[in-house]
Amino acid sequence: MTAAIEVLLEVENPMEEDLHKPMELNLQDAFSLAMQMHRQGNYDGAEMLYRKLLKAVPDDPDVLHFFGVLLHQRGDSNAAVDLIEKSILLD
């Protein structure tokens, strides 16, 4: 992800008691949060962020790769392979 992209994403705040309070994140922060949620086993939250990121930067190899890993962990290996192959071609 290049630092020049200044797109802001609104996401539900996973660190607050009020999960419906939106927060704005730049792309790098959103990706870091997605990876943190992924590592902690919050697959629903991570998937939501990966999908939002892919809407903003559809050809980001890191987002494609880690979203592919998540889909594999959830049992959707066909979609996972497609995303990971695309990430390799773009990297």
Side-chain angles (χ1 to χ4, degrees):
M1 257 173 272
T2 63
I5 297 174
E6 291 298 327
V7 177
L8 297 179
L9 303 172
E10 276 194 19
V11 298
E12 291 182 358
N13 189 341
M15 304 303 181
E16 298 287 332
E17 289 182 18
D18 179 9
L19 294 179
H20 298 290
K21 180 181 176 185
M23 59 193 267
E24 291 185 347
L25 299 172
N26 65 39
L27 292 175
Q28 187 58 50
D29 290 344
F31 182 64
S32 294
L33 180 58
M35 290 187 57
Q36 177 185 359
M37 295 169 89
H38 189 168
R39 282 191 304 270
Q40 293 173 346
N42 181 352
Y43 293 162
D44 290 336
E47 181 172 347
M48 181 264 306
L49 281 172
Y50 288 142
R51 288 185 185 280
K52 284 183 179 272
L53 284 161
L54 285 175
K55 284 183 182 179
V57 284
D59 291 332
D60 185 280
D62 293 326
V63 177
L64 289 164
H65 173 83
F66 285 103
F67 187 31
V69 171
L70 178 112
L71 290 177
H72 174 71
Q73 290 171 314
R74 293 189 122 177
D76 191 355
S77 295
N78 290 333
V81 167
D82 290 343
L83 291 174
I84 293 170
E85 284 178 346
K86 184 175 179 180
S87 77
I88 291 168
L89 291 173
L90 292 168
D91 197 20

